[in-house]
Amino acid sequence: VADIVEQLGPNLEVQRGPLTRASLSLQNINLSSQTERMAWLASLLPELPGSGIVYTLTVPDSKRLARWLQFQGIDAEPYYGALETTERETLENRLLNNEIKALVATVALGMGFDKPDLGFVIHYQRPSSVVHYYQQVGRAGRAVDDAYGILLNGDEDDVIADYFIRSAFPTPQDVDQLLVAMRNANSPLTVPKLQEKVNLPKGSIDRILEFLLLESPAPIQKTAAGYVLNPVRWQMPLDRIERITNLRRGELEQMRVYMGSQDCLMQFLAEELNDPNAGPCGKCVNCIGRLLPEEYPPGLAQSAVEFLDRQENP
């Protein structure tokens, strides 16, 4: 908000609407192992209204969880960024038309997707920030009176989140490798040529190039023939990287606090997003005492163990 005011000038009148979603019932459930969460989902998904989204943090989890739900007779499909555009559009249309119970999706199912009557959004793992969680869970219940936003929590959440935080920026050593290779070259270098000159995988090279191109001033530029150095003074912005990394770790801690909160969950989210009029929602599990059962048939958990074992040892 402050940035928008600064960009548009002091005569701008800021008006903020409430962030509380009256149709959304929130609940947090601690199920440490993946097999527990798989059993809970297989047990509860068929009982939930309409169709919805189950968010995972990784592509392998999206595929694995969708296969498990299919194995349990639930119409679910994985959704992630590497799918062909036509595949993603087909899956989105199936969800829009209520032809599928759930898409098991990564964040690739993002801001452009709008289904007003989405009955539930479930997170298989904890998102990295309140902002991300509010945006994702808020896709449920836009045009229905009652919808569910369920956050599951597992042992691997912190490990995955820590990996994403640590890998958000390239290391100075890897950046130096690329810049030295370009400095020593007599002509522009394509990604395959860079792969011949540096000891880095293609994915890392792509991320470093993207990082350098977004710097201001950018130390490199992309030409039709490949990447070349720009004649500018540039050094790795270590202070900025540390500041952003610390911010991300603070956001992660904020989500840990939310997961364990005994107060109104909707009010917690609204207050963290600076809603001055946030108050108890009267619909979340902490407001009414009980929402969805946290229990599941023990046999389903054992079935999930056997399912995962078959996936790893086909």
Side-chain angles (χ1 to χ4, degrees):
V1 173
D3 182 56
I4 291 172
V5 171
E6 182 179 345
Q7 298 298 324
L8 298 183
N11 295 326
L12 181 69
E13 180 184 349
V14 177
Q15 298 182 358
R16 300 189 56 159
L19 295 179
T20 298
R21 294 286 306 281
S23 64
L24 200 55
S25 297
L26 299 176
Q27 183 173 0
N28 300 337
I29 301 177
N30 282 289
L31 296 171
S32 58
S33 71
Q34 293 211 28
T35 53
E36 289 180 290
R37 278 169 279 147
M38 291 165 65
W40 186 89
L41 283 164
S43 175
L44 266 293
L45 270 186
E47 308 301 320
L48 295 180
S51 55
I53 302 170
V54 179
Y55 277 109
T56 66
L57 290 179
T58 71
V59 172
D61 281 325
S62 168
K63 296 178 179 179
R64 189 184 304 115
L65 184 57
R67 286 196 300 268
W68 159 253
L69 294 175
Q70 292 166 4
F71 179 69
Q72 291 298 315
I74 298 170
D75 195 355
E77 293 288 345
Y79 183 105
Y80 46 91
L83 291 173
E84 295 292 334
T85 302
T86 53
E87 291 182 89
R88 293 200 304 272
E89 290 175 349
T90 297
L91 290 172
E92 290 171 14
N93 286 330
R94 287 188 65 194
L95 185 59
L96 285 168
N97 296 324
N98 294 315
E99 298 170 355
I100 189 172
K101 185 62 179 179
L103 287 183
V104 185
T106 66
V107 294
L109 188 61
M111 296 292 284
F113 180 78
D114 183 24
K115 176 176 168 61
D117 62 341
L118 210 62
F120 58 88
V121 167
I122 299 172
H123 283 76
Y124 185 63
Q125 292 133 335
R126 189 181 63 231
S128 60
S129 76
V130 167
V131 171
H132 289 150
Y133 182 63
Y134 182 84
Q135 287 176 341
Q136 292 163 9
V137 77
R139 296 195 172 99
R142 291 176 177 173
V144 293
D145 293 334
D146 295 292
Y148 292 97
I150 310 299
L151 175 57
L152 304 179
N153 183 75
D155 288 342
E156 76 274 18
D157 294 7
D158 285 338
V159 175
I160 296 173
D162 185 65
Y163 168 78
F164 284 136
I165 290 173
R166 287 187 291 104
S167 60
F169 295 99
T171 67
Q173 295 78 14
D174 289 349
V175 171
D176 283 344
Q177 276 197 67
L178 237 66
L179 293 178
V180 168
M182 296 172 73
R183 191 174 298 118
N184 293 336
N186 296 320
S187 59
L189 295 177
T190 62
V191 171
K193 288 293 184 182
L194 283 167
Q195 285 181 273
E196 296 174 4
K197 296 179 178 296
V198 299
N199 185 28
L200 294 170
K202 180 179 181 299
S204 295
I205 292 173
D206 288 338
R207 287 192 295 271
I208 294 170
L209 292 171
E210 182 181 9
F211 168 74
L212 294 173
L213 287 169
L214 290 174
E215 285 292 285
S216 181
I220 66 170
Q221 64 173 297
K222 183 179 182 180
T223 69
Y227 294 91
V228 297
L229 292 177
N230 279 332
V232 299
R233 293 175 60 88
W234 180 85
Q235 61 181 8
M236 194 77 173
L238 297 178
D239 289 345
R240 173 159 54 87
I241 290 173
E242 182 180 10
R243 184 174 68 253
I244 293 173
T245 300
N246 289 337
L247 175 64
R248 297 289 178 263
R249 295 202 180 279
E251 291 173 340
L252 186 59
E253 179 59 30
Q254 199 177 35
M255 281 302 297
R256 292 194 192 100
V257 174
Y258 172 74
M259 190 72 211
S261 176
Q262 299 302 308
D263 299 323
C264 174
L265 296 177
M266 183 63 74
Q267 184 176 357
F268 183 104
L269 296 177
E271 288 178 345
E272 291 297 329
L273 296 171
N274 299 320
D275 183 350
N277 301 310
C281 70
K283 294 196 67 165
C284 76
V285 67
N286 291 343
C287 283
I288 64 176
R290 183 172 173 83
L291 199 58
L292 296 180
E294 299 185 9
E295 304 79 19
Y296 50 85
L300 268 179
Q302 181 57 38
S303 180
V305 171
E306 295 168 359
F307 174 85
L308 289 181
D309 185 60
R310 287 195 299 272
Q311 299 298 304
E312 295 175 1
N313 303 287

